[in-house]
């Protein structure tokens, strides 16, 4: 093993180290929604992952302190929405604590299984929750795809260095 020139001193594991490293990781942006007794809930997620093709499974993370967690913790179904570059404000709204996420100008409708489905997204899925796995101060939600629509137009929204942006050619 050889030394790499310019390599800085490594830092010990901490929440700040993890956040600092993942700010450098560009990720697609999704909004997760669910219907609760008190109305719809949703949040912006960059932790969306395809898990399995057969059966079609995906996962996402949510903090147990998040305002959406009480509904997500009980929901049988969730909506998963892939956002486009044109939806920076929507992503910011669903990321902002205390925001009226489903008020104007957010366009949405009640979709399959009563799940809130957002308008004008690149793609959406309704999924049946199959597991909620404890992971530190978060839960990893595993969900099986039930129905969806991949036909939205546009380019994906990305999250990098604490900002929403788009792809560059």
């Amino acid at each position: 093993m050889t030394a790499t020139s310019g390599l800085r001193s490594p830092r010990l594991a901490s929440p700040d180290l993890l956040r600092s490293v993942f700010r450098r990781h560009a990720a697609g942006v999704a909004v997760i929604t669910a219907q609760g007794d008190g109305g719809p809930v949703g949040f912006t997620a960059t932790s969306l992952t395809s898990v399995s093709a057969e059966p079609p499974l995906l996962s996402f993370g949510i903090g147990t302190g998040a305002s959406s967690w009480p509904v997500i913790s009980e929901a049988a179904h969730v909506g998963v929405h892939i956002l486009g570059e044109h939806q920076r404000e929507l992503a910011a709204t669903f990321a902002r604590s205390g925001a009226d996420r489903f008020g104007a100008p957010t366009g949405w409708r009640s979709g399959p299984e009563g799940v809130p489905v957002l308008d004008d997204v690149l793609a959406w899925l309704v999924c049946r929750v199959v597991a909620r796995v404890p992971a530190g101060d978060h839960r990893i939600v595993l969900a099986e795809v039930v129905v969806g629509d991949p036909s939205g137009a546009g380019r994906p929204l990305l999250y990098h260095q604490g900002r929403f942006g788009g792809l560059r050619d």
Side-chain angles (χ1 to χ4, degrees):
M1 190 157 140
T2 60
T4 303
S5 65
L7 186 64
R8 296 180 185 166
S9 298
R11 293 165 40 189
L12 292 176
S14 70
D16 183 55
L17 173 62
L18 184 68
R19 285 186 202 102
S20 294
V21 168
F22 273 87
R23 279 187 194 106
R24 297 178 176 272
H25 172 71
V29 180
V31 167
I32 310 297
T33 61
Q35 183 62 44
D37 291 339
V41 300
F43 65 97
T44 300
T46 57
S47 62
L48 182 65
T49 304
S50 170
V51 173
S52 168
E54 189 56 44
L57 294 172
L58 58 81
S59 71
F60 60 86
I62 179 172
T64 56
S67 61
S68 296
W69 172 243
V71 172
I72 299 293
S73 74
E74 300 286 330
H77 292 85
V78 294
V80 176
H81 308 82
I82 308 300
L83 301 190
E85 286 180 326
H86 62 287
Q87 295 178 304
R88 289 181 178 145
E89 286 303 314
L90 182 69
T93 296
F94 276 84
R96 194 175 311 115
S97 180
D100 181 5
R101 296 171 178 160
F102 290 90
T106 302
W108 66 282
R109 64 193 179 287
S110 182
E113 304 295 338
V115 171
V117 174
L118 301 175
D119 293 342
D120 202 27
V121 295
L122 297 187
W124 61 267
L125 298 166
V126 169
C127 304
R128 181 179 60 84
V129 175
V130 297
R132 294 171 186 87
V133 181
D137 62 355
H138 278 60
R139 296 296 180 267
I140 305 301
V141 178
L142 291 167
E144 183 173 7
V145 175
V146 175
V147 63
D149 181 0
S151 65
R155 294 165 55 104
L157 182 62
L158 299 178
Y159 186 73
H160 180 250
Q161 295 285 43
R163 295 188 353 227
F164 296 112
L167 293 173
R168 284 189 238 159
D169 291 331

